[in-house]
Amino acid sequence: MGFAHPTAVVTLEKVHRFADPDYAALSLRMRNGDDAGGVFDALHRRGQVVIHASEAERTAVLADAGTSGDLVIADTREQVADLNAAIRDHRRRDENARSEITTAGGERVGVGDEVATRRNDPALQVANRQTWTVTRIRKDGSLLLHGRGRDREIPADYATRFVELAYATTVHGAQGSTVTNAHVAMGEHTGAASAYVAMTRGRQTNVAHLVAENVDDARTQWIEIFSRDRADLGPAHARRQARDAIDRYGPQHRRPATAARDRSLSL
């Protein structure tokens, strides 16, 4: 009777392959909802919870992180838009003005910007959420994009309607992503499932950023976050995210079939 969950036993054994076993253990506790206060205390000691006095202060810190190339994750598209604009401003504050377009959403996109295509278009050979670097803007507003060894020319109409800055993303957009470092803006809209996914995107570090009056206030917020939407972390979700996290933190040993299936489930 004590061996009803062999899969769980295998998963726990594989956790020992994580590059950082202490964080691996903490990520499992986040997934399972075990002692949220204790997890917060451990992460705070490790410097993986940062407390900000105001939203403006947090945005400035996250803009610096995004400028350095780290992934920035937030709850809402409005937050993401603000962070993308702040990161872009940081990246370009010492640069001369360049040719740029303004999208339907009000974002300014120029040469060198990291962007995402947000609509599948087989004719253009682009897909939703693919990320690119803008390498050229033509006089008619069309873009030349480069990503993963490929170049794509995007007409002005598509560029204006379906291209977005990609320095920051929502949790949904971050699912399936693997980066070196991730920074997560948490707050009243963050649930347990999204917090767990966001805090397992980085191979090396994952840092939570909260706006709070003090450590006690931040701790209370953290506990509330990991009490919300616990149903979203059902067994199937947990197994999928655990496999993804093991592959992310562990050595470069990946089962292609499993990896492909996991990525397709994350879309």
Side-chain angles (χ1 to χ4, degrees):
M1 291 188 296
F3 298 91
H5 301 287
T7 301
V9 174
V10 172
T11 299
L12 290 174
E13 289 175 353
K14 288 185 178 179
V15 166
H16 293 294
R17 297 181 182 178
F18 281 34
D20 183 347
D22 291 336
Y23 189 76
L26 288 170
S27 73
L28 289 176
R29 290 170 66 185
M30 281 187 270
R31 185 198 75 187
N32 296 328
D34 296 338
D35 186 16
V39 171
F40 173 90
D41 295 338
L43 291 174
H44 188 251
R45 287 194 298 270
R46 290 166 56 94
Q48 289 180 262
V49 172
V50 178
I51 300 167
H52 304 278
S54 67
E55 189 66 50
E57 178 186 294
R58 178 167 71 176
T59 297
V61 171
L62 291 175
D64 285 336
T67 301
S68 70
D70 294 346
L71 178 66
V72 177
I73 305 171
D75 287 311
T76 69
R77 288 181 62 82
E78 289 77 12
Q79 288 174 312
V80 167
D82 289 343
L83 287 165
N84 271 324
I87 293 167
R88 186 180 190 273
D89 287 346
H90 274 233
R91 285 170 58 92
R92 292 179 174 267
R93 58 190 170 189
D94 297 323
E95 297 181 8
N96 294 325
R98 297 181 180 182
S99 175
E100 61 183 30
I101 65 168
T102 301
T103 70
E107 292 184 330
R108 291 177 294 127
V109 174
V111 174
D113 276 326
E114 302 297 318
V115 299
T117 45
R118 293 306 311 274
R119 183 182 179 90
N120 294 327
D121 193 319
L124 298 176
Q125 298 183 17
V126 298
N128 184 31
R129 299 193 183 279
Q130 281 183 318
T131 55
W132 313 83
T133 301
V134 179
T135 58
R136 185 176 178 182
I137 300 179
R138 301 191 189 278
K139 291 182 179 180
D140 64 358
S142 61
L143 306 180
L144 186 64
L145 307 180
H146 179 80
R148 297 187 179 183
R150 300 166 297 171
D151 292 311
R152 298 288 184 267
E153 186 163 353
I154 305 302
D157 181 62
Y158 182 101
T160 301
R161 297 172 63 195
F162 304 120
V163 169
E164 297 179 353
L165 293 172
Y167 301 113
T169 184
T170 61
V171 176
H172 179 71
Q175 287 191 33
S177 298
T178 301
V179 298
T180 303
N181 304 301
H183 293 262
V184 186
M186 293 189 181
E188 61 181 346
H189 300 293
T190 313
S194 58
Y196 169 74
V197 171
M199 288 296 288
T200 54
R201 297 305 89 192
R203 295 187 190 91
Q204 293 185 5
T205 60
N206 296 276
V207 181
H209 295 258
L210 295 95
V211 176
E213 295 181 0
N214 49 47
V215 174
D216 289 339
D217 180 22
R219 191 177 192 272
T220 298
Q221 289 186 43
W222 180 275
I223 292 171
E224 290 176 352
I225 286 167
F226 279 90
S227 298
R228 296 182 193 131
D229 305 324
R230 291 301 316 171
D232 289 350
L233 290 172
H237 180 283
R239 284 195 297 271
R240 184 167 65 251
Q241 295 297 342
R243 286 196 301 267
D244 183 56
I246 289 167
D247 286 339
R248 178 174 300 105
Y249 284 99
Q252 299 301 312
H253 175 72
R254 192 164 177 82
R255 299 180 301 279
T258 302
R261 183 174 66 250
D262 289 352
R263 283 196 297 272
S264 67
L265 290 172
S266 297
L267 296 177

